[in-house]
Amino acid sequence: MGGESNRWAASGRKATAVGTIAFRQQLAYKTDFALRGFFLLFILFVFIQLWTAAYEGDFDKAISGFTLKQIVWYLVFTEALTMAAPPLCSRIEEEVKNGDVAIRLIRPQSYVGYHFSVFASEALTRFAVHLLIGSAIAWPFVGPPSFGGGWLGLLALSAGALTVTFLLLLLVGLCAFWVEETSGLYFVLQKLQFTIGGMLLPIDLMPEWLQRVCAWLPFQAALYFPARMAVHFDPALLVKQLGIQIGWIALLAFAVNRMYRRGVTKLHVNGG
């Protein structure tokens, strides 16, 4: 029992150390933060103008249960979550191409654990920054996000959402063990998140048949769940969505584990 506790404690210290280094590196790239922040402001400004025209400037009008204010803040949350994800796929791809993957594999922390520590640190930092930037443009246009327990729902589901995103990106990134070039697969994944993941449009506004399809896919757990819960807080639905997220995390983690083991074997066989 004591040995198991010591192993968990050691793993926690390694993850914390890697996460701290990643956080400090993020703070060093101020220009990168500024450019992403400007891009987010521009995108949200365009969406606000489009939705304002769709609602004819009527703050009381509701479309599929969403008012103009809720739609705008929904977009702030989905954009913040989307832009929070670091370029994991390209990093793994570069590690495989230049041989750095061999060094990563022999480090004290596991390969997947290392990338998760870096991803979590960077994603949480980016999410907080982008949420502040998005709020800076949404607040003047539609007012503060007064959605009752919405903040609780957002925070409760965001951790699971980012974990699902990490696992999806890792599955694509690990394909580099076989094909090296993963940009095409990442492009497809990104577009699926944009559309049926609910980033550009709440799933509630989609045709009923498409809503049923989305319900069987993991993408809604990465973006739609936390954003919708933030503007439509429902304690009962929150518990259900947390359960769905946990289920997808378990399933995707299993897939990652199988894929990683086969990929490492392939690297060793090929002398990578």
Side-chain angles (χ1 to χ4, degrees), residues 19-71:
T20 301
I21 294 172
F23 173 73
R24 290 173 178 172
Q25 289 177 335
Q26 282 289 293
L27 297 181
Y29 296 102
K30 297 181 178 61
T31 303
D32 183 48
F33 264 115
L35 289 175
R36 287 204 308 268
F38 176 78
F39 178 74
L40 177 59
L41 286 173
F42 175 75
I43 290 296
L44 286 176
F45 176 77
V46 171
F47 277 131
I48 288 173
Q49 300 307 310
L50 289 173
W51 281 108
T52 300
Y55 278 83
E56 299 177 336
D58 187 351
F59 280 74
D60 295 322
K61 182 179 180 180
I63 299 178
S64 295
F66 286 83
T67 64
L68 175 59
K69 180 177 182 178
Q70 289 171 326
I71 281 288

Side-chain angles (χ1 to χ4, degrees), residues 150-169:
W151 286 111
L152 173 62
L154 176 67
L155 294 176
L157 290 167
S158 290
L162 290 173
T163 303
V164 170
T165 298
F166 166 76
L167 293 170
L168 288 171
L169 291 173

Side-chain angles (χ1 to χ4, degrees), residues 162-222:
L162 290 173
T163 303
V164 170
T165 298
F166 166 76
L167 293 170
L168 288 171
L169 291 173
L170 187 58
L171 282 173
V172 172
L174 289 176
C175 290
F177 285 14
W178 286 271
V179 298
E180 289 194 358
E181 183 66 47
T182 62
S183 57
L185 294 173
Y186 173 67
F187 178 83
V188 173
L189 174 62
Q190 190 180 50
K191 297 306 173 280
L192 287 172
Q193 290 177 310
F194 286 2
T195 52
I196 59 178
M199 191 203 81
L200 299 174
L201 188 73
I203 293 178
D204 308 72
L205 275 66
M206 297 180 182
E208 187 176 344
W209 68 267
L210 187 54
Q211 293 183 38
R212 290 196 295 269
V213 173
C214 293
W216 289 95
L217 299 173
F219 308 109
Q220 61 173 353

Side-chain angles (χ1 to χ4, degrees), residues 14 26 42 51 60 65 71 89 92 96 111 187 227 232 258:
K14 293 172 188 175
Q26 282 289 293
F42 175 75
W51 281 108
D60 295 322
I71 281 288
C89 298
I92 296 177
V96 173
Y111 185 77
F187 178 83
H232 278 298
R258 292 294 299 273

